[in-house]
Amino acid sequence: MNHFDLTNKKILVTGGAGFLAEYFIASLKEAGATVFSPDKDEMDVTNQDHVDTYFSTKGPFDVVVNNAAIDPKFDPSAHVNEQVFEHYPEQAMQQSV
């Protein structure tokens, strides 16, 4: 049973290699969406130039599911600079308006 219709919708899912994204992507495709799920080499979400290039070549998107994460449990070399996120939804919301 399909509870919603996403036919002709372009959806970007970051962190597509992760456990949850596998289910997000399958559900979105089942609802008819065209799903884009770039790996880190295609679009590193910590690099604004990568994001801008990806959006300019593949976008616009109807929906973005930000599922990207850095988890030192799975990547011991990962380092999270928490200052990058100090004002993060505020800055993102201001830029999207």
Side-chain angles (χ1 to χ4, degrees):
M1 177 192 227
N2 193 353
H3 295 286
F4 54 97
D5 183 12
L6 296 174
T7 302
N8 298 322
K9 300 295 181 188
K10 289 175 61 175
I11 300 179
L12 170 66
V13 178
T14 64
F19 177 74
L20 292 176
E22 176 184 344
Y23 296 97
F24 293 155
I25 292 167
S27 296
L28 294 167
K29 286 182 175 181
E30 184 179 311
T34 300
V35 179
F36 295 79
S37 183
D39 61 28
K40 189 175 180 181
D41 292 332
E42 290 179 278
M43 186 182 77
D44 179 352
V45 296
T46 66
N47 182 316
Q48 187 66 51
D49 289 336
H50 280 206
V51 174
D52 291 344
T53 299
Y54 195 84
F55 271 70
S56 68
T57 58
K58 305 287 187 183
F61 298 102
D62 297 293
V63 176
V64 175
V65 178
N66 185 8
N67 191 55
I70 299 172
D71 190 342
K73 289 185 294 190
F74 299 105
D75 183 359
S77 67
H79 173 72
V80 178
N81 179 355
E82 292 179 12
Q83 291 178 341
V84 170
F85 299 102
E86 186 175 333
H87 298 288
Y88 182 73
E90 177 183 331
Q91 287 176 344
M93 287 178 8
Q94 289 174 354
Q95 291 174 354
S96 68
V97 175

